[in-house]
Amino acid sequence: MLLILFTIIIVALITYLFVKPLIDNLFNYVPHEPKYIHSYLPIIGFGFEILKNPIEFIRSLYLKYGKTFVIYLGSKRWVYLFDEQTYLTKVIKSSDLSIDDFLTDILVKGLDINRKCLTDKKIQELQVKQFHHYLVGDELEILNKLVHDSLIQSMKFDANLLTNNKNKIVNFFDFFGEFMLFAGAEGLFGHSFTSKQQNTTPSFYKLFQDFDEAYKLCFMNIPFRSILYKTILHNRNEFIKKFSFLKLNNGESKLINAREELYRSNEYKHLFREYDINGLQASMLWAAVSNTAPMACWSVVDLLLHPQALEAVKQELNENISSSSILIYDKDVLSNLKIFESCLNESMRRVRNATSTRQAMVDTTIECLDKTKIGLRKGDMLVYPAFLKNLDPNLFGSNPYGYKYDRFVKKPNQAKAPSIMIFGCGTHTCPGRFWAMNEIKIFCTTVDPFS
Ligand code: HEM
């Protein structure tokens, strides 16, 4: 009897999962929908393919179905649109599409942040203003110096360790990833906060890694995650707890100070639990480090693998940093290093799975510049897969994965240097992009592959 009941439930569940997309299509269909590519894995959709090799998977669909198609990733419909001009001129300017609800969902599902404090339009606006105000100009200079000093400190500490243990074998990305985490923390949260995170067990870096992992697992709605990923979720909470020890006016950046004051202001404090404030500050450090650290490591690897590039950057550094009064964290000096900049762009172009995403707030239609129409259902995610352009053989040669260090330095016979999209676009373009590029340059010169 129990077996029959169990079989009926399983059959009903499987039928429901398979039939659901068909029912969805029947009731929610909008005109001009792009080609729907069916996955036979319910709930997950093409999640495994995307996790395994997003670039090759999306490229294969693009070659087969053309510039636009729809797939399920998890329970959401993702509409891919490989048409940069339409994306830049129509999609990001349309009031029917936004990224705010999606970002809110990431923080609610990924970190258990209270939805109430994230959906307030005024707070959203103020936070974005703070990003663009406090990650440029004089503040950028201060952030740069703190990153520089922290990296030097880490290198010195490590040199001492090495003298005691000459045969140390480390994972390059973890080893320097930890340095970059402390450098980012020093810049944003100050020395007092950061020094307390040194030599703890489990390490601050391990907690950061689990925070990153937990973010993804929770956002993907993995079932039974609180049982399956107990330690990771525990470590995520431990990482967030670290930020409850942050003391204001104690060396933190203006950005962190302004965020803390906003959340604790009389006007808004009723919306935030202590956990929410700590979680939001932790996610700020995550935004600052999760991409910058691996990109910095790739940049060094590429310089080491390409002696011509290394020599050219070395020469550029010698030409620009001749006097001892000009320091390597000066933002104007750093922005003058065009060959160096080109090398970093070339590394990021080849390894970064760059995309830009918006979500349809209502059923809507986008008319492309070539007049084709794209119907979107409310809730659809619209993605511009910038990585397809960044690796396009028509733009970057028959071997687009090849490393050409001066590709982004404008040549006399070119109207302009080639462009790539790494930091997104529109009003949500990464506000930390200037700091990120400066940090990577500072990191490369501190690791010093040139000597
Ligand atoms: C190589 C390093 C980095 C890469 C590749 C990167 C990339 C991105 C991308 C693609 C976005 C989304 C843009 C869009 O929606 O169109 C973004 C947003 C953001 N990034 Fe970065 N980023 C990097 C470093 C940083 C750093 C150092 C910070 C410093 C705090 C930072 C802070 C942010 C913030 C706060 C947002 C959200 C902006 C908003 O919602 O308005 N990022 N980043």
Side-chain angles (χ1 to χ4, degrees):
M1 183 64 190
L2 211 63
L3 188 68
I4 296 174
L5 194 68
F6 182 70
T7 315
I8 292 174
I9 292 174
I10 293 292
V11 170
L13 191 68
I14 292 177
T15 314
Y16 167 76
L17 291 172
F18 274 95
V19 171
K20 190 175 174 291
L22 303 176
I23 297 176
D24 277 354
N25 284 345
L26 205 63
F27 289 104
N28 300 323
Y29 178 82
V30 294
H32 310 295
E33 285 192 355
K35 169 102 183 127
Y36 166 66
I37 321 294
H38 187 65
S39 155
Y40 290 96
L41 272 187
I43 302 182
I44 293 161
F46 286 107
F48 286 132
E49 286 83 348
I50 286 286
L51 284 179
K52 202 168 139 205
N53 190 342
I55 296 181
E56 283 317 312
F57 176 63
I58 295 301
R59 194 208 308 274
S60 70
L61 295 183
Y62 162 65
L63 292 175
K64 200 161 169 193
Y65 300 106
K67 72 172 185 180
T68 181
F69 48 84
V70 186
I71 57 173
Y72 266 92
L73 294 177
S75 55
K76 270 197 184 312
R77 280 164 51 90
W78 290 72
V79 179
Y80 279 80
L81 171 65
F82 184 41
D83 177 347
E84 185 172 274
Q85 285 315 310
T86 297
Y87 192 82
L88 292 177
T89 55
K90 304 276 182 99
V91 174
I92 60 172
K93 300 210 166 134
S94 163
S95 55
D96 290 347
L97 292 124
S98 159
I99 194 64
D100 294 336
D101 285 11
F102 182 65
L103 294 178
T104 298
D105 257 13
I106 294 182
L107 289 164
V108 172
K109 288 189 193 159
L111 288 189
D112 292 334
I113 303 276
N114 183 4
R115 189 175 287 275
K116 250 195 334 196
C117 65
L118 298 167
T119 45
D120 186 292
K121 287 284 162 215
K122 192 80 194 134
I123 296 182
Q124 283 178 357
E125 231 172 72
L126 286 169
Q127 285 186 132
V128 172
K129 259 196 196 152
Q130 290 173 347
F131 295 150
H132 291 280
H133 204 75
Y134 293 127
L135 291 168
V136 293
D138 291 348
E139 276 312 295
L140 179 57
E141 199 80 50
I142 297 171
L143 291 169
N144 282 350
K145 177 170 171 15
L146 289 166
V147 163
H148 174 266
D149 292 353
S150 165
L151 286 172
I152 295 284
Q153 194 63 33
S154 295
M155 304 284 172
K156 275 190 188 153
F157 181 69
D158 189 63
N160 285 343
L161 280 186
L162 273 181
T163 44
N164 301 332
N165 181 5
K166 288 202 167 27
N167 295 321
K168 198 172 166 192
I169 296 175
V170 292
N171 174 311
F172 186 83
F173 283 75
D174 279 337
F175 184 71
F176 287 120
E178 187 167 12
F179 284 16
M180 288 299 280
L181 172 65
F182 280 111
E186 189 95 16
L188 288 174
F189 294 91
H191 185 68
S192 170
F193 172 87
T194 308
S195 59
K196 285 198 188 79
Q197 317 310 333
Q198 308 266 4
N199 305 322
T200 54
T201 314
S203 72
F204 192 55
Y205 183 63
K206 166 76 180 140
L207 296 183
F208 174 79
Q209 283 181 310
D210 283 353
F211 176 88
D212 178 61
E213 196 63 27
Y215 227 137
K216 291 176 206 149
L217 293 171
C218 295
F219 182 66
M220 288 191 294
N221 267 342
I222 306 265
F224 309 114
R225 56 186 176 276
S226 51
I227 302 167
L228 292 174
Y229 303 108
K230 202 170 161 208
T231 313
I232 289 181
L233 289 175
H234 170 80
N235 283 349
R236 175 196 74 178
N237 293 346
E238 287 300 302
F239 184 68
I240 291 175
K241 224 188 261 171
K242 298 270 180 193
F243 294 82
S244 61
F245 300 107
L246 179 69
K247 286 200 182 68
L248 277 202
N249 304 315
N250 200 15
E252 77 282 6
S253 63
K254 282 197 179 155
L255 174 63
I256 293 304
N257 185 290
R259 282 163 70 80
E260 200 79 17
E261 293 209 327
L262 173 69
Y263 305 148
R264 295 187 189 281
S265 66
N266 286 338
E267 203 175 345
Y268 298 117
K269 65 182 179 200
H270 62 283
L271 296 175
F272 293 88
R273 296 167 300 171
E274 204 54 37
Y275 175 88
D276 300 324
I277 298 180
N278 300 332
L280 288 171
Q281 296 291 34
S283 67
M284 194 67 234
L285 182 57
W286 176 82
V289 176
S290 61
N291 286 312
T292 315
M295 291 308 132
C297 290
W298 278 118
S299 302
V300 169
V301 169
D302 279 333
L303 284 172
L304 287 170
L305 288 176
H306 301 92
Q308 250 193 332
L310 198 66
E311 196 46 48
V313 175
K314 191 173 166 180
Q315 198 177 328
E316 187 177 47
L317 283 169
N318 287 339
E319 282 163 12
N320 283 274
I321 308 177
S322 48
S323 131
S324 59
S325 62
I326 302 174
L327 301 164
I328 191 58
Y329 49 78
D330 182 305
K331 67 179 171 34
D332 299 323
V333 173
L334 290 173
S335 74
N336 261 342
L337 304 171
K338 298 294 177 208
I339 298 176
F340 206 169
E341 182 108 356
S342 174
C343 291
L344 308 192
N345 277 325
E346 184 63 343
S347 290
M348 291 198 273
R349 177 185 75 79
R350 292 154 69 244
V351 297
R352 186 156 163 77
N353 166 19
T355 56
S356 181
T357 307
R358 296 293 182 266
Q359 185 172 30
M361 297 290 100
V362 289
D363 287 356
T364 186
T365 305
I366 299 288
E367 187 177 291
C368 298
L369 295 183
D370 66 4
K371 302 290 176 208
T372 49
K373 290 185 175 157
I374 296 176
L376 297 171
R377 300 178 192 177
K378 180 180 175 187
D380 278 356
M381 304 303 302
L382 181 65
V383 193
Y384 167 60
F387 55 78
L388 289 184
K389 176 189 171 185
N390 297 351
L391 293 165
D392 183 349
N394 296 320
L395 296 172
F396 299 107
S398 57
N399 174 19
Y401 284 98
Y403 182 89
K404 207 171 151 210
Y405 76 90
D406 60 351
R407 197 187 288 281
F408 297 98
V409 179
K410 190 185 138 354
K411 317 284 179 314
N413 60 345
Q414 286 175 319
K416 53 183 182 160
S419 75
I420 46 170
M421 188 195 285
I422 295 289
F423 293 102
C425 55
T427 47
H428 286 280
T429 306
C430 175
R433 61 196 182 282
F434 308 110
W435 188 31
M437 292 306 271
N438 284 354
E439 275 190 280
I440 300 176
K441 285 176 190 164
I442 296 168
F443 173 76
C444 291
T445 47
T446 322
V447 172
D448 196 9
F450 312 105
S451 63

